[in-house]
Amino acid sequence: MMSNTRPSNTGRAPGAASQDAAPGPRGTAMQYSKIALALLAGILFAGFCALGTWQVKRLFWKLDLIERVEQRVHAPATDAPGPAAWASITPQTDEYRHVRLSGTYLPLFNTLVQATTALGSGYWLVTPMRLADGSTVLVNRGFVPKRESIGAGTPAGIVHVDGLLRISETGGGFLRENNPATQHWYSRDVAAIGASHMLTKVAPYFVDAQAKSETAADAPVGGLTVVSFHNNHLVYALTWFALALMVAGITWWIVREDKRRRARGKNLDHSQESDHAGQD
């Protein structure tokens, strides 16, 4: 008598049983790829968040700096730091301080420094001032339009100047080096200018004279100091955080699509099994 028993997998598509089997080399490689992508996404997300947080800290630092500088600029003038205080002068604590000083100009050592201002291109006229204690402070008397203005009438006798303390600008300008030998200057490098004129006991800063410090017809135009700071830290912070969100969003999308793909595969397997069961 012939038996009616049939193999349970008769009529299934070739390879269908492998869906439930342990993953082969290809499946293992896919698992490793997913782990690597997850690690990369995590590193990128953490890195972008860290950079964004750093920029937020820089933003608050910059806002605090701007506030402190504004307070210095508009504070009553105090005596310019003397030799005893020179060693402790820093940009963080002294730049743009409102100071006053009195002394005698040394017009023989007038120096022109190339400048671009609201009045156009020209030069800063920098003149050393000899103080009562024998020290020398370079004073940026203001803007002149051409090199011939180096002889602009220098006030004689004791001169009183109010202005902003500025830290020495070393090196030169953009792609241009100062040339002491030819007296071509692209930055107000106090030490270099003093050395080129063999001046001694020179302060490590210079003073930007305020507007209308001199009233002669050919006098330099003072008060052109630009007190401003680039503050793009908020934009940078938002950019980094946006990149972090993009990484998170792409990772979420990839995970969702992978789950959908696996769900579709399982549904297809179930459908095929049902069809084969019906045929049996």
Side-chain angles (χ1 to χ4, degrees):
M1 184 175 178
M2 186 174 296
S3 172
N4 295 325
T5 304
R6 298 180 183 179
S8 60
N9 62 343
T10 302
R12 292 188 65 177
S18 64
Q19 297 292 331
D20 299 327
R26 182 177 179 183
T28 302
M30 288 292 292
Q31 291 296 327
Y32 285 144
S33 297
K34 291 177 182 178
I35 293 173
L37 287 174
L39 288 174
L40 177 61
I43 292 171
L44 288 175
F45 181 80
F48 290 146
C49 286
L51 288 169
T53 302
W54 176 63
Q55 287 296 336
V56 170
K57 292 180 179 178
R58 293 281 296 173
L59 170 64
F60 285 107
W61 170 81
K62 184 62 69 67
L63 292 175
D64 179 65
L65 173 64
I66 293 172
E67 182 180 357
R68 284 188 282 114
V69 168
E70 286 293 325
Q71 291 175 353
R72 294 176 201 166
V73 169
H74 299 294
T78 59
D79 292 337
W86 289 353
S88 62
I89 293 176
T90 66
Q92 292 76 22
T93 59
D94 297 283
E95 183 95 68
Y96 299 108
R97 277 179 54 188
H98 190 192
V99 298
R100 60 172 177 259
L101 63 163
S102 300
T104 305
Y105 279 134
L106 306 177
L108 181 63
F109 305 118
N110 279 351
T111 302
L112 293 176
V113 180
Q114 192 166 31
T116 301
T117 72
L119 301 179
S121 298
Y123 303 89
W124 299 122
L125 179 55
V126 178
T127 305
M129 175 181 281
R130 181 65 49 79
L131 307 187
D133 62 1
S135 63
T136 302
V137 175
L138 298 188
V139 177
N140 174 22
R141 294 164 55 197
F143 173 81
V144 293
K146 49 190 178 182
R147 295 194 66 87
E148 290 74 12
S149 303
I150 191 170
T154 304
I158 300 298
V159 179
H160 304 282
V161 174
D162 279 11
L164 300 179
L165 184 151
R166 303 294 308 281
I167 303 299
S168 180
E169 302 167 344
T170 59
F174 180 67
L175 298 179
R176 292 185 176 183
E177 294 290 331
N178 292 325
N179 190 337
T182 61
Q183 288 295 298
H184 283 83
W185 300 93
Y186 303 98
S187 71
R188 291 161 291 191
D189 189 331
V190 169
I193 292 174
S196 73
H197 296 306
M198 293 184 290
L199 298 171
T200 58
K201 206 175 180 181
V202 179
Y205 60 85
F206 63 94
V207 173
D208 279 344
Q210 67 182 16
K212 299 181 181 179
S213 293
E214 301 179 31
T215 57
D218 61 346
V221 180
L224 297 179
T225 306
V226 177
V227 183
S228 65
F229 300 90
H230 294 291
N231 188 12
N232 297 320
H233 298 297
L234 179 58
V235 174
Y236 297 152
L238 292 175
T239 300
W240 291 124
F241 286 135
L243 289 172
L245 288 175
M246 287 176 61
V247 170
I250 291 173
T251 302
W252 173 82
W253 181 82
I254 290 174
V255 171
R256 186 193 65 177
E257 290 301 307
D258 182 63
K259 288 182 177 179
R260 287 182 174 179
R261 179 183 60 80
R262 285 186 292 173
R264 286 195 297 268
K266 289 181 179 179
N267 292 335
L268 181 61
D269 287 344
H270 292 158
S271 176
Q272 290 176 344
E273 289 176 359
S274 298
D275 291 343
H276 293 317
Q279 292 176 1
D280 292 341

